[in-house]
Amino acid sequence: MSCSRKTVIIGAGGHAKVVIDILRSMPQLEIVGCIDRSNVRTVMQLPVLGDDDLLPQLWNADVKHAFVAIGNNQIRQRLAKRATEIGFTLINAVSPYAHISESASLGSGIAIMPGAIVNAEAVIDNYAIINTSSSIDHECYIGESCHVAPGSHLSGNVHVQEGAFLGTGTTVIDGIHIGAWTVVGAGSVVVRNIPAQCLAYGVPARIIPHQQSL
Ligand code: JB2
């Protein structure tokens, strides 16, 4: 008896390519293709089946699992909620080359890329991306739809709220709180709390008054 889970990937860009690599290491999945709003036809030898309007039809055709593979935090959150409303179960894409503590908690629709480390009692909320070779130390909280970009390192007890983006190579000392939808620029070293909806960068990271100035 076959028990393969038919799965659609939403998104067909660069992030989807890394996710496809990971999902192909999960033999229980049958990836039926991708959904994208562009007119790209294939990605990583998978067909691009159509746009988001096709999702209800796919669900009716026995595709019950989905993964939203789009890097933009707002778009990913919106599509993840839409897919969930249709009835899809959002799977996690966890690389076999990541280390996840047995005591860590993972939500759904999460990507954890090769080389990433998630240590004891860390919590990774729905739709977050823990990107290549980043580390999330003990008791950290990574909120819904956050993205911790490649090579970032979070010491213990760091709290990152919904939708925040930590750019490539961000370093955060222990116990820091980063507010919702805040963007931390690449290479920053965060040594003080950062409130919600800010742009901050530098060593040490400082809040930049006008986000639109970048
Ligand atoms: O509403 C949408 C939509 N908006 C954009 N619905 C669907 N189904 N697809 C949407 N897209 C598609 O997301 C675009 O048409 C495009 O194909 C894809 C985004 O591709 P891109 O290569 O520009 O970005 P990405 O999200 O795959 O990757 C970003 O995030 C990653 C985490 C990049 O910044 C990567 O460098 C990064 N590693």
Side-chain angles (χ1 to χ4, degrees):
M1 188 184 75
S2 164
C3 58
S4 71
R5 294 193 243 157
K6 288 187 180 176
T7 302
V8 62
I9 297 170
I10 302 172
H15 186 50
K17 292 178 183 179
V18 186
V19 166
I20 290 165
D21 262 350
I22 293 171
L23 297 185
R24 281 181 170 153
S25 71
M26 298 164 66
Q28 70 274 29
L29 300 184
E30 179 192 344
I31 307 171
V32 297
C34 296
I35 290 289
D36 200 278
R37 71 172 183 189
S38 71
N39 48 17
V40 61
R41 294 286 169 85
T42 61
V43 58
M44 303 276 279
Q45 295 82 49
L46 286 172
V48 177
L49 304 165
D51 64 18
D52 302 333
D53 293 340
L54 195 64
L55 287 169
Q57 212 174 308
L58 285 170
W59 195 82
N60 286 330
D62 208 28
V63 181
K64 302 297 188 199
H65 295 82
F67 188 89
V68 184
I70 293 177
N72 179 285
N73 290 351
Q74 281 174 310
I75 297 174
R76 189 173 65 261
Q77 184 182 62
R78 174 174 57 78
L79 290 171
K81 289 182 188 294
R82 181 166 175 199
T84 304
E85 277 164 19
I86 292 169
F88 287 99
T89 298
L90 296 184
I91 60 169
N92 287 337
V94 178
S95 168
Y97 303 105
H99 170 77
I100 316 290
S101 166
E102 293 283 336
S103 60
S105 305
L106 305 184
S108 61
I110 291 166
I112 304 186
M113 301 309 199
I117 296 173
V118 177
N119 267 341
E121 296 185 0
V123 176
I124 314 293
D125 214 331
N126 299 337
Y127 331 136
I129 302 172
I130 309 301
N131 221 322
T132 310
S133 295
S134 57
S135 61
I136 310 295
D137 224 298
H138 62 90
E139 298 158 278
C140 280
Y141 171 73
I142 307 297
E144 181 175 301
S145 306
C146 287
H147 177 186
V148 179
S152 296
H153 298 295
L154 279 56
S155 299
N157 284 301
V158 170
H159 288 236
V160 184
Q161 300 302 326
E162 178 182 341
F165 171 72
L166 308 190
T168 302
T170 299
T171 300
V172 188
I173 67 165
D174 56 291
I176 291 290
H177 288 231
I178 296 174
W181 303 100
T182 275
V183 172
V184 180
S188 297
V189 176
V190 183
V191 298
R192 290 188 202 96
N193 294 343
I194 304 176
Q197 297 185 325
C198 289
L199 169 66
Y201 60 78
V203 182
R206 294 184 197 287
I207 296 166
I208 310 303
H210 299 294
Q211 186 160 339
Q212 62 269 34
S213 64
L214 262 196

